[in-house]
Amino acid sequence: MRCLLCAGSIRGGTIKDHAHTNSPAEELTQNPALADFVAPLPPLAESRGEAFGRTTERLADLLAESSLRARIHFGVIRPDDEERPVHSWSITAETKECTVSEEQVHLPDLEVLAFESVWEAMANGDIAPLDAFTGSGMRVRGDLIVARHLARIIRRGKRSGEQRVEGR
């Protein structure tokens, strides 16, 4: 069995008997599945309070310059109705072209639903994706590999991506 925090092997005994040699933050940065989400991402917003749709368009520009091919849905949700997004945008990245629509794409590879305040904090670089997720302000469904590549593309900024998710 493996520890979810540090990805270390748990041998003999229970999870309570498993000791971590590093702090929880250090453990997370060393976990290959979570390392891309521990630190805040560079800001997508040009200014505080920028519209959700504009940050999504900027994200589509970054994806168009990468080799990631995926269907990604972003939604802003209200605390009183978490099942239906108030605002919804989808990015479809195919070849070197990305399209942005205000509709939910059918069967997205990745879906990110966040409260408006949480999306704004992430778009401004104020909060790490993992903090948003563990703080119950964001839900993520879908392909973890696509999410990791997306985080790396945002970190690289305008430079062209070299990573490809096969089969997309």
Side-chain angles (χ1 to χ4, degrees), residues 32-60:
L34 300 176
D36 295 312
F37 311 110
V38 175
L41 298 170
L44 284 170
E46 291 179 349
S47 62
R48 294 209 174 265
E50 184 173 39
F52 181 75
R54 182 63 193 121
T55 58
T56 307
E57 290 169 7
R58 191 162 299 109
L59 185 53

Side-chain angles (χ1 to χ4, degrees), residues 24-39:
E26 291 171 323
E27 296 287 353
L28 290 172
T29 59
Q30 294 175 9
N31 182 322
L34 300 176
D36 295 312
F37 311 110
V38 175

Side-chain angles (χ1 to χ4, degrees), residues 60-116:
D61 292 342
L62 292 174
L63 285 172
E65 296 177 13
S66 77
S67 60
L68 179 64
R69 304 295 161 244
R71 294 172 312 280
I72 305 169
H73 173 250
F74 299 96
V76 173
I77 54 177
R78 286 189 294 220
D80 60 339
D81 188 3
E82 296 182 19
E83 293 303 314
R84 293 185 329 181
V86 176
H87 302 289
S88 186
W89 283 266
S90 294
I91 299 174
T92 302
E94 299 173 334
T95 61
K96 282 286 188 186
E97 190 173 305
C98 276
T99 57
V100 178
S101 68
E102 292 188 25
E103 299 174 5
Q104 184 171 349
V105 68
H106 181 67
L107 298 174
D109 298 300
L110 179 66
E111 182 174 39
V112 179
L113 301 174
F115 296 126
E116 187 170 16

